[in-house]
Amino acid sequence: MTDQVTDRQAQSGTNDVTVNGIHIATLQETVHAIDQEPDLGQCKFRARNTWLGGNHNCTTVTGFYGAKQEIAHRQQFELHADEPPILAGNDEGANPVEHLLNALASCVTTSMVAHAAVRGIHIEELESELEGDIDLRGFLGLSNDVPKGFTEIRVKFKVKADVDNMERLKRLTAYSPVFNTITQGANVDIQVEAK
Amino acid sequence: MTDQVTDRQAQSGTNDVTVNGIHIATLQETVHAIDQEPDLGQCKFRARNTWLGGNHNCTTVTGFYGAKQEIAHRQQFELHADEPPILAGNDEGANPVEHLLNALASCVTTSMVAHAAVRGIHIEELESELEGDIDLRGFLGLSNDVPKGFTEIRVKFKVKADVDNMERLKRLTAYSPVFNTITQGANVDIQVEAK
């Protein structure tokens, strides 16, 4: 991103500038360190899931590997998934495809905000609505011709910011890792072992 | 799935059979209804996200469209996302790519459990560990040659069930909508409007 950056820190020469709630110096230190030593950018993100019966299961997230070290989160995160009654669940949590929409929403939002911050684009408010299409005949195995996953996902952002920056903000969403994982695809290797 | 189903409900002729904690009659009613009237399987899943400042944002999930009607969840779900301090956040929630791993874990788990249930495969315990690789140089814009999303995701299941069913259980994971969205890709249309 360095070629397009016109952040306030660079302009002002101070180290405590915050844009869009993001401490620019911290982010730029990370960028600079990875630029100098690419191995620092190699990350392994992790999750552990336990089935709780029926359609209810719980994921815990405790830490990840990055900057050539194991890094613990300040707290353990627990995320519950279930299905609504019409899909034979008890609604104890958002269902997995709704969790996917959350991952996409949060990632595109964070990507836009952070990349805007280092470019000096101030955002006052930001919200989004997502809607994705799934034909359950795929999941249920009723037709091999019907895709099992989302086919189309629509994301509508409303941003309170300089109106001249709307197109630029839209372009920044393309940096999102989850957006890229969903649109470009990723390899998923699944192993199943007896316990 | 009907061609491969050998569920206990069909065998026993009762309507109150539960396998793997899933009420088989409820699931089969849904399958039968969609098989008879495919439009019932057209679903629109939704999420709404609000930026809370910095890298912190919150998604709410309240309902979805399916079975030709709007369906409300029994409760509203709130999902927080943030980044760890090294990525200029405050660790107020799992980060977006960890949320994606949760979506994948929960979906593959649910898909395996539900498809096993209607086939009469009993699962006693089920847990999984996920790990995915991201090179941050992509997200940070330091290299156009580096993918911005996950490249490889590894999922390791440990299952307490009849050991002869391990390969069959592995095949059932291929029904997962999130697995298919990530491995096959989906179109994501993003609009950004001034508020």
Side-chain angles (χ1 to χ4, degrees):
Chain A
M1 76 176 69
T2 48
D3 56 329
Q4 300 163 48
V5 173
T6 58
D7 64 88
R8 285 164 61 105
Q9 186 209 340
Q11 291 165 10
S12 67
T14 63
N15 279 321
D16 57 356
V17 173
T18 296
V19 180
N20 300 337
I22 291 174
H23 192 240
I24 298 296
T26 300
L27 190 53
Q28 295 235 327
E29 281 166 20
T30 299
V31 172
H32 180 71
I34 294 173
D35 196 26
Q36 294 295 308
E37 191 177 351
D39 280 357
L40 291 170
Q42 301 289 339
C43 292
K44 294 182 190 299
F45 292 98
R46 300 179 181 132
R48 179 188 296 263
N49 185 279
T50 303
W51 175 54
L52 300 175
N55 288 312
H56 188 194
N57 60 71
C58 180
T59 291
T60 53
V61 175
T62 55
F64 61 97
Y65 175 87
K68 301 172 78 170
Q69 59 191 298
E70 296 293 331
I71 299 174
H73 284 295
R74 287 178 175 171
Q75 55 181 313
Q76 173 173 297
F77 304 114
E78 292 192 1
L79 299 160
H80 286 260
D82 197 358
E83 295 288 346
I86 195 172
L87 293 171
N90 294 312
D91 252 346
E92 300 285 349
N95 83 357
V97 298
E98 291 166 336
H99 278 293
L100 183 73
L101 295 181
N102 166 53
L104 178 62
S106 60
C107 196
V108 178
T109 296
T110 293
S111 299
M112 189 195 293
V113 168
H115 275 271
V118 293
R119 286 163 178 75
I121 303 173
H122 288 250
I123 296 174
E124 289 180 60
E125 294 177 22
L126 179 60
E127 58 192 41
S128 56
E129 288 187 6
L130 290 85
E131 185 177 79
D133 305 328
I134 290 184
D135 185 336
L136 282 182
R137 290 179 298 163
F139 166 68
L140 295 172
L142 290 170
S143 168
N144 290 329
D145 300 328
V146 174
K148 295 174 175 63
F150 278 115
T151 46
E152 298 280 340
I153 301 174
R154 296 165 291 282
V155 186
K156 292 186 182 179
F157 278 98
K158 290 195 175 176
V159 192
K160 194 168 179 183
D162 182 347
V163 70
D164 292 339
N165 279 320
M166 292 301 129
E167 274 304 310
R168 201 168 172 207
L169 289 173
K170 182 180 174 180
R171 284 199 299 275
L172 298 182
T173 64
Y175 284 102
S176 158
V178 174
F179 170 82
N180 278 274
T181 302
I182 293 175
T183 56
Q184 305 297 316
N187 294 321
V188 179
D189 178 66
I190 296 179
Q191 294 183 20
V192 179
E193 293 177 7
K195 185 178 175 182
Chain B
M1 80 176 68
T2 48
D3 57 330
Q4 302 165 46
V5 172
T6 57
D7 64 88
R8 286 164 61 103
Q9 186 208 342
Q11 291 167 8
S12 67
T14 63
N15 279 321
D16 57 356
V17 172
T18 296
V19 181
N20 301 336
I22 291 174
H23 192 239
I24 298 296
T26 301
L27 190 54
Q28 296 235 325
E29 281 166 19
T30 299
V31 172
H32 181 71
I34 294 173
D35 196 26
Q36 294 295 305
E37 190 177 353
D39 280 357
L40 290 170
Q42 302 290 338
C43 292
K44 293 181 190 299
F45 293 98
R46 299 179 182 131
R48 178 188 296 262
N49 185 278
T50 303
W51 175 54
L52 299 175
N55 288 312
H56 187 194
N57 60 71
C58 180
T59 292
T60 55
V61 175
T62 56
F64 61 97
Y65 175 87
K68 299 172 80 171
Q69 60 191 297
E70 296 293 329
I71 299 173
H73 284 295
R74 287 177 174 171
Q75 55 181 312
Q76 172 175 298
F77 304 113
E78 292 193 0
L79 300 159
H80 286 259
D82 197 358
E83 294 289 346
I86 195 172
L87 293 171
N90 293 312
D91 252 347
E92 300 285 347
N95 83 358
V97 298
E98 291 165 337
H99 278 293
L100 184 72
L101 294 181
N102 165 54
L104 178 62
S106 60
C107 196
V108 177
T109 296
T110 293
S111 301
M112 188 194 292
V113 167
H115 276 271
V118 293
R119 286 163 178 77
I121 303 174
H122 288 251
I123 296 175
E124 290 181 60
E125 294 177 23
L126 180 58
E127 57 192 39
S128 56
E129 289 187 3
L130 291 85
E131 184 177 80
D133 305 328
I134 291 184
D135 184 336
L136 282 183
R137 289 179 298 163
F139 166 69
L140 295 172
L142 290 170
S143 168
N144 289 328
D145 300 329
V146 174
K148 295 173 175 62
F150 278 115
T151 46
E152 298 280 340
I153 300 174
R154 296 166 291 283
V155 186
K156 293 187 182 179
F157 278 99
K158 290 196 175 176
V159 193
K160 194 167 178 182
D162 182 346
V163 70
D164 292 340
N165 279 320
M166 292 301 130
E167 273 304 309
R168 200 168 173 208
L169 289 173
K170 181 180 175 180
R171 284 199 299 275
L172 298 182
T173 64
Y175 285 101
S176 158
V178 173
F179 171 81
N180 278 273
T181 302
I182 293 175
T183 56
Q184 306 297 314
N187 294 321
V188 179
D189 177 65
I190 297 180
Q191 294 182 18
V192 178
E193 292 178 5
K195 185 177 176 184

